[in-house]
DNA sequence: ATGGTTGTAACACAA
């Protein structure tokens, strides 16, 4: 005999730029889209002050790894989470809180906040490249590329010209530099597909717009937030959207959610 | 406009 259980899963990622400042936006968005899982980045809060109760009232379990003022990642899930882990392979406990992982419905889910990199000449740029290399090593050490793996978050890298409002302006700079493209390609060579790109080939669709200079109004943005899927999951991906609605609200995050449906 | 805005936290820094 055979048994096939229900395993449709909706997974989203959103850099909320402070979960306390964005609590209402996040709760409204969860109610509207009913994702099973929401990965968040830049929660900007220590674990004791995370608004855990508000999400639990909505039926979500909460796994978080935060720090004072900066960074911070979390996974909300209304399906059970197990084997929660934080940080990258070989990282010390006091490293920036930029990655948290959990296994949900047999899927190993990583919520990632890749370092911004500041400017190409800055040491932070090399640290960004090294961080991506360590993320690849973490995947190699902890998961099988033939299994169900979902790596999502704010990668602070636009993949190609379609993902940058002014490629000629950004080329060679942070977020659109060949070294970043090589680092991201090495990560993806683990066996990860860009869920949104698999289903949408047009340019000009962005996940982030600068708060300054009317970036959103002019659609001067970047696509830097991704859901990457291993082969087995990519085959199950029925939809992938980037929801611009939350960016229109009062006091929005500068990023919008990316949402995938796995059937 | 080597500017512009936002969040946190402390009177700057990161994005």
């Amino acid at each position: 005999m055979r048994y096939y259980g229900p395993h449709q899963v909706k997974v989203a990622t959103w850099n909320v730029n402070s979960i306390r400042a964005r609590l209402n936006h996040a709760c409204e968005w969860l109610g509207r889209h009913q994702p099973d899982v929401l990965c968040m980045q830049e929660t900007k809060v220590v674990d004791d002050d995370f608004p855990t109760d508000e999400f639990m009232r909505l039926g979500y379990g909460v796994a978080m790894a935060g720090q004072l003022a900066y960074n911070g990642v979390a996974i909300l899930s209304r399906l059970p989470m197990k084997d929660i882990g934080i940080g990258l392979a070989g990282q010390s406990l006091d490293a920036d809180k930029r990655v948290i992982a959990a296994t949900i419905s047999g899927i190993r889910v990583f919520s990632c906040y890749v370092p911004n990199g500041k400017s190409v000449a800055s040491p932070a740029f090399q640290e960004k490249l090294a961080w991506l290399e360590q993320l690849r090593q973490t995947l190699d050490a902890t998961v099988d590329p033939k299994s169900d793996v979902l790596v999502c978050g704010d990668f602070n890298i636009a993949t190609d010209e379609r993902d940058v409002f002014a490629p000629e302006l950004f080329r060679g700079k942070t977020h659109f530099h060949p070294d970043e493209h090589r680092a991201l390609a090495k990560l993806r060579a683990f066996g990860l597909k860009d869920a949104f790109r698999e289903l949408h080939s047009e340019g000009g669709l962005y996940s982030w717009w600068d708060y300054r200079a009317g970036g959103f109004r002019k659609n001067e943005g970047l696509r830097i937030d991704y859901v990457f899927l291993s082969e087995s999951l990519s085959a199950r991906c029925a939809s992938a959207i980037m929801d611009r609605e939350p960016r229109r609200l009062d006091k929005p995050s500068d990023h919008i959610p990316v949402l995938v449906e796995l059937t």
Side-chain angles (χ1 to χ4, degrees), chain A residues 98-151:
Chain A
R98 293 181 176 277
V99 62
I100 186 167
T103 302
I104 303 162
S105 193
I107 304 169
R108 190 62 178 165
V109 174
F110 292 83
S111 175
C112 306
Y113 176 46
V114 176
N116 175 286
K118 296 182 181 171
S119 64
V120 175
S122 149
F125 188 79
Q126 296 306 317
E127 288 164 16
K128 178 183 194 174
L129 301 177
W131 197 96
L132 286 161
E133 171 64 31
Q134 264 200 300
L135 176 57
R136 170 62 201 261
Q137 289 174 13
T138 303
L139 296 180
D140 288 335
T142 58
V143 285
D144 182 340
K146 291 194 286 291
S147 68
D148 292 340
V149 182
L150 186 155
V151 182

Side-chain angles (χ1 to χ4, degrees), chain A residues 43-258:
Chain A
T43 52
K44 291 187 171 180
V45 67
V46 294
D47 296 346
D48 283 345
D49 294 334
F50 195 99
T52 309
D53 295 346
E54 287 85 344
F55 294 117
M56 290 193 71
R57 275 199 286 276
L58 298 177
Y60 290 89
V62 184
M64 74 200 78
Q67 65 185 85
L68 188 67
Y70 304 118
N71 307 311
V73 284
I75 301 175
L76 312 184
S77 176
R78 56 186 190 186
L79 298 167
M81 287 190 267
K82 62 177 205 178
D83 300 326
I84 294 159
I86 71 167
L88 299 175
Q91 266 187 340
S92 67
L93 287 174
D94 63 346
D96 283 351
K97 298 298 187 284
R98 293 181 176 277
V99 62
I100 186 167
T103 302
I104 303 162
S105 193
I107 304 169
R108 190 62 178 165
V109 174
F110 292 83
S111 175
C112 306
Y113 176 46
V114 176
N116 175 286
K118 296 182 181 171
S119 64
V120 175
S122 149
F125 188 79
Q126 296 306 317
E127 288 164 16
K128 178 183 194 174
L129 301 177
W131 197 96
L132 286 161
E133 171 64 31
Q134 264 200 300
L135 176 57
R136 170 62 201 261
Q137 289 174 13
T138 303
L139 296 180
D140 288 335
T142 58
V143 285
D144 182 340
K146 291 194 286 291
S147 68
D148 292 340
V149 182
L150 186 155
V151 182
C152 68
D154 174 4
F155 286 77
N156 274 313
I157 301 171
T159 299
D160 63 44
E161 288 80 0
R162 294 171 293 177
D163 305 316
V164 186
F165 76 92
E168 66 287 350
L169 190 70
F170 274 80
R171 197 180 305 282
K173 299 198 171 67
T174 309
H175 304 291
F176 201 53
H177 187 281
D179 291 349
E180 291 173 327
H181 291 143
R182 268 188 289 275
L184 188 57
K186 272 191 76 177
L187 173 70
R188 291 189 48 189
F190 175 79
L192 298 172
K193 292 194 168 178
D194 178 344
F196 185 80
R197 259 306 166 237
E198 289 293 309
L199 296 170
H200 306 277
S201 60
E202 62 268 44
L205 299 172
Y206 308 128
S207 67
W208 171 89
W209 298 262
D210 200 306
Y211 284 124
R212 299 165 288 190
F216 182 62
R217 182 174 49 78
K218 294 185 276 189
N219 195 31
E220 294 183 348
L222 304 175
R223 191 173 72 96
I224 55 178
D225 298 86
Y226 301 95
V227 176
F228 294 121
L229 302 173
S230 62
E231 184 69 46
S232 58
L233 276 185
S234 185
R236 287 170 52 189
C237 186
S239 74
I241 63 142
M242 298 194 289
D243 182 15
R244 282 184 293 276
E245 284 308 313
R247 192 64 171 78
R248 301 183 209 283
L249 302 174
D250 193 43
K251 290 280 179 187
S253 170
D254 43 355
H255 297 252
I256 60 171
V258 186

